[in-house]
Amino acid sequence: MTKELNFDAEILTSEIMQKLNIPIVTRKPSKKAKTIHEMSESKLITNVKVEDLIIDLSYQRSPSRDKVGKIVREFDPNALGVIICSMRENGVVAVIDGGHRVSALNVMGLGNTDIRCLVFFGLNIQQEAEMFSVLNDNRTKPKTQDIFKSKVVAKDKEAVEINSVLNKYGLKVGNAPGMNTVRAIGTLGTIYKKYGLQVVDETIKTLTSAFGTHSTSYTDEALHSVSQFISANKSKINYKRLTDVLASYGNASLWYGKGSLIAKQANFNKVYHGMIFVLVNDYNKRLKNNRVDFAKIVK
């Protein structure tokens, strides 16, 4: 595949690569170069056949059928732009940005067509994932779950640590409802920043024990409620009691219903404040020592 690329094409500078601290090369790769290593730290605009491009789902999102369909229906070759890719050591050209456009071209049977690509050399998969994250941070983003997946591959500390907690309990991040799945990954990120990894772990453990591993157990409101309850009462929580109280609600949705009613009656700003009120009230029933204080949780 390497021989098919036009290495006489122009070299472009890139703000993206400057952000990632990867050197910018302002001259063309040597025509005498025999390996990808000899062409590392360089990039060029060139033509690549659509069928020679792959999408690495270890850090990329799966192409959306709706988005691909829209591109096909409204296809305009002048709007294709440039696909951003990485030439790997094994000769594979991996798409970093432009997967929906590439998928649409394949759907249209244009796999044998040449398209313009900005090809980077010498990147490892972590750098590819970093570039994917940077490219999608300041525009219409993929779903939060997809960004999280790319950050895990890019070895972002927060994402890696949260992912390790999910793996510990047999969970994964997903876009759709399902078993062993967490969708509210943005909320977990907020909890991590505010309370730390230990509270993320204890929150996931508690909700899993109380409600099971379906994605409906880990709603935004349930995560906020339990994490705030735990963070404000670390030294005196009886986790078995906490889990039993939560389990008595049946599931997170029924708990949300109770909390919603209380939130309206008490004019709370957030429904999960009502859920915390319900939880505190039930947790404290017939408890003489180590009672928890709602006012200290919701300040």
Side-chain angles (χ1 to χ4, degrees), residues 46 80 130 171 174:
T46 187
L80 277 177
E130 287 173 352
L171 301 170

Side-chain angles (χ1 to χ4, degrees), residues 145 166 171-174 180-185 188 204 215 218:
Q145 297 91 338
L166 298 182
L171 301 170
K172 64 182 186 299
V173 174
N180 307 317
T181 301
V182 175
R183 303 174 69 193
I185 196 63
L188 282 182
I204 292 294
S215 56
Y218 314 103

Side-chain angles (χ1 to χ4, degrees), residues 61-71 99-100 103-104 143:
R61 52 187 161 170
S62 296
S64 161
R65 289 186 180 181
D66 290 342
K67 206 163 187 179
V68 170
K70 186 174 187 295
I71 294 172
H100 285 101
S103 296
K143 293 181 179 178

Side-chain angles (χ1 to χ4, degrees), residues 3-34:
K3 294 180 180 178
E4 295 178 6
L5 295 177
N6 175 15
F7 293 118
D8 289 327
E10 62 181 309
I11 306 298
L12 297 185
T13 58
S14 168
E15 291 181 5
I16 296 299
M17 300 309 288
Q18 288 171 345
K19 288 182 181 179
L20 296 178
N21 295 319
I22 295 176
I24 301 298
V25 175
T26 57
R27 57 183 176 80
K28 298 177 183 179
S30 170
K31 292 183 179 180
K32 296 180 180 179
K34 296 180 179 179

